[in-house]
Amino acid sequence: MIRTPVLVLMALCLAACGTTGLQVPEGRLAPGAGFTVDISDDWAYRSPSSDQDMFGGYVTRDGVHLNRIHFVTLDDGDALLRPVANIERPVFLAKADEAEIAGLLTESLNIAGYSNMLAGTVQSVSVDGHVGIAFEIHGQSENGLDIKGYAAAFPVADQLHLVVFLAPELHYYDALYQSVQDLIRSVDLPD
Amino acid sequence: MLHILKACLMAAGFTLTVSGGARSQEMPPEFLLVSDADVEFLTTRGDIRHSDWSDAAERNLEAALSAELSDGGVVHASQRAGCFDEHDSRQVILLAQTIAVSVDEPRFTENLDGLTLGSGIAQLQACADFQRLALISHDASMASSGTMIVSVAAAALTGFNADRDQYSRTRLDVFDTRTGQLMTHIEVRGGDARSEEGATRIVSRLMSGWDQ
């Protein structure tokens, strides 16, 4: 009997979400994060309220299951994941080291529905005068499809700025890798 | 789940069934046929995947589509398929399934240009020679009588129709083996694939929307 009010609330939420549709960005975009990026004209943007699992906005070309670039800025103590009942979410701590930042992302993705997400070797990357880290990610989607990813993380002051690319390892990752690298190089971080 | 995936869990051997007696002996079969069905049982305690219903729907849809396509020759990736069990082949099938789901999701463009298996399609052709991959996928939710009674009572009291939980959706996706590209995507709503007659009607509706 609790079902009906829950369903009514869900319908209201869906109606609200329906107002935040897919947009085709033009040029520079503040993608639901504390930084801006240049989006080429063949990506479509969805605002942060479109993602039920993670904070931040994302762009996709062929649908979120085939390719997505996710953008988010976390403050000290923030979680990447939205609250879920009875699940303890990993949080970003300003004092986190490289391995802990990589672990925050992979653990969050595993909770969000991916499985066996692991980070590769962490490398140093420099963008907009800020030094950050970058690493590959490997794992599987819910249906077992091998997923490959590339993440760039920039700790600035007590914030962490994240760009995360996820795509099936088969075809899509390699096909979009260069476009993702161009996008990461275009990141304009706050001073 | 996919026949392919289920086959991973089975110790059975590998067989391929090729149908289509009217074809030239030299021509490869036109279609590799893969079916996938997921039927959930809605109860007042939650949603449960019903294995028997899912298996029956998968079997019935595969048989119905096979009958429609048999003139060109059909290779079935059946439950006992061995080559298709291998990791690389399974990945191609899973990608095809993911593409099928993605067609109707928000994307940059409405056309099918970016939806492709890429060079991965060659992996399947290492298992069997064929010209097109036909993936039929079905998902449905069927309510229990208890859930129906609760829904009707709730609708009577509140005016809110919770019966929307029940649905049935079947997709046919056809990929070109030369390019890996998705050529055709057809979706029909409604129907009950758990029976042979229901599956035949669903496939008939799919075929009527397919300009081959």
Side-chain angles (χ1 to χ4, degrees):
Chain A
M1 286 301 185
I2 297 171
R3 189 181 176 90
T4 299
V6 170
L7 290 173
V8 171
L9 284 172
M10 284 175 62
L12 290 172
C13 289
L14 286 172
C17 291
T19 62
T20 58
L22 183 147
Q23 308 156 34
V24 179
E26 291 182 12
R28 201 131 198 104
L29 175 74
F35 55 90
T36 62
V37 290
D38 269 333
I39 306 287
S40 58
D41 58 6
D42 43 9
W43 292 90
Y45 173 64
R46 299 210 82 191
S47 62
S49 56
S50 302
D51 193 317
Q52 296 179 345
D53 296 323
M54 295 193 287
F55 291 109
Y58 66 87
V59 292
T60 181
R61 282 191 184 182
D62 304 302
V64 66
H65 299 295
L66 293 175
N67 40 66
R68 71 183 290 171
I69 308 174
H70 197 91
F71 311 95
V72 68
T73 294
L74 302 177
D75 291 326
D76 187 19
D78 280 354
L80 175 59
L81 296 174
R82 296 183 186 278
V84 181
N86 302 321
I87 291 183
E88 188 175 346
R89 297 170 296 159
V91 296
F92 166 66
L93 299 176
K95 63 181 181 184
D97 62 21
E98 296 175 348
E100 288 169 332
I101 290 172
L104 163 69
L105 176 59
T106 53
E107 193 179 338
S108 297
L109 291 172
N110 284 327
I111 293 172
Y114 294 94
S115 57
N116 305 314
M117 280 294 190
L118 293 172
T121 306
V122 175
Q123 296 179 322
S124 177
V125 61
S126 180
V127 165
D128 188 32
H130 296 274
V131 176
I133 58 170
F135 49 93
E136 288 186 347
I137 312 163
H138 293 268
Q140 285 85 40
S141 64
E142 279 184 291
N143 72 350
L145 181 64
D146 286 345
I147 298 294
K148 192 170 177 182
Y150 184 89
F154 302 95
V156 179
D158 282 346
Q159 290 185 313
L160 180 69
H161 304 283
L162 262 176
V163 180
V164 184
F165 168 51
L166 295 169
E169 187 165 3
L170 192 59
H171 178 72
Y172 284 95
Y173 182 87
D174 288 341
L176 297 173
Y177 178 81
Q178 192 54 53
S179 176
V180 172
Q181 292 299 316
D182 292 344
L183 186 147
I184 290 173
R185 275 193 289 272
S186 79
V187 166
D188 186 4
L189 296 164
D191 293 325
Chain B
M1 290 296 294
L2 291 168
H3 280 321
I4 302 296
L5 295 178
K6 287 193 296 188
C8 299
L9 306 174
M10 300 172 66
F14 163 65
T15 61
L16 280 178
T17 308
V18 181
S19 57
R23 299 170 35 257
S24 159
Q25 293 284 331
E26 290 76 27
M27 287 287 288
E30 186 166 7
F31 292 98
L32 169 65
L33 176 53
V34 178
S35 64
D36 170 28
D38 190 359
V39 182
E40 287 188 338
F41 183 41
L42 299 181
T43 72
T44 50
R45 293 182 177 181
D47 307 345
I48 306 161
R49 183 180 188 274
H50 200 298
S51 297
D52 290 345
W53 290 352
S54 299
D55 292 347
E58 196 168 298
R59 203 168 45 242
N60 293 334
L61 288 167
E62 181 173 318
L65 185 57
S66 178
E68 292 280 356
L69 302 179
S70 61
D71 282 352
V74 178
V75 178
H76 298 260
S78 73
Q79 285 186 337
R80 294 182 298 277
C83 185
F84 293 105
D85 295 351
E86 293 173 7
H87 176 268
D88 290 349
S89 301
R90 281 204 317 278
Q91 286 296 310
V92 181
I93 299 292
L94 289 170
L95 180 58
Q97 191 181 24
T98 304
I99 289 172
V101 171
S102 298
V103 174
D104 297 319
E105 291 198 341
R107 296 183 290 125
F108 170 71
T109 174
E110 291 296 313
N111 65 41
L112 304 180
D113 289 351
L115 302 174
T116 178
L117 300 171
S119 57
I121 192 84
Q123 186 63 40
L124 296 180
Q125 289 189 293
C127 293
D129 198 6
F130 61 95
Q131 300 170 56
R132 291 190 275 181
L133 166 63
L135 170 67
I136 185 165
S137 35
H138 173 79
D139 56 289
S141 277
M142 305 292 175
S144 67
S145 55
T147 305
M148 293 283 282
I149 291 168
V150 169
S151 295
V152 170
L157 290 171
T158 66
F160 177 72
N161 182 14
D163 192 38
R164 61 171 180 65
D165 285 347
Q166 286 199 100
Y167 68 89
S168 170
R169 176 173 48 207
T170 310
R171 303 182 184 92
L172 174 63
D173 292 89
V174 182
F175 295 84
D176 183 356
T177 53
R178 289 168 302 174
T179 62
Q181 284 236 302
L182 178 63
M183 304 163 66
T184 302
H185 172 85
I186 307 166
E187 178 176 317
V188 298
R189 301 275 178 145
D192 187 349
R194 293 174 299 174
S195 69
E196 291 180 14
E197 297 78 14
T200 300
R201 279 193 292 272
I202 290 172
V203 168
S204 176
R205 291 170 57 202
L206 284 170
M207 297 303 292
S208 69
W210 183 13
D211 180 14
Q212 295 187 63

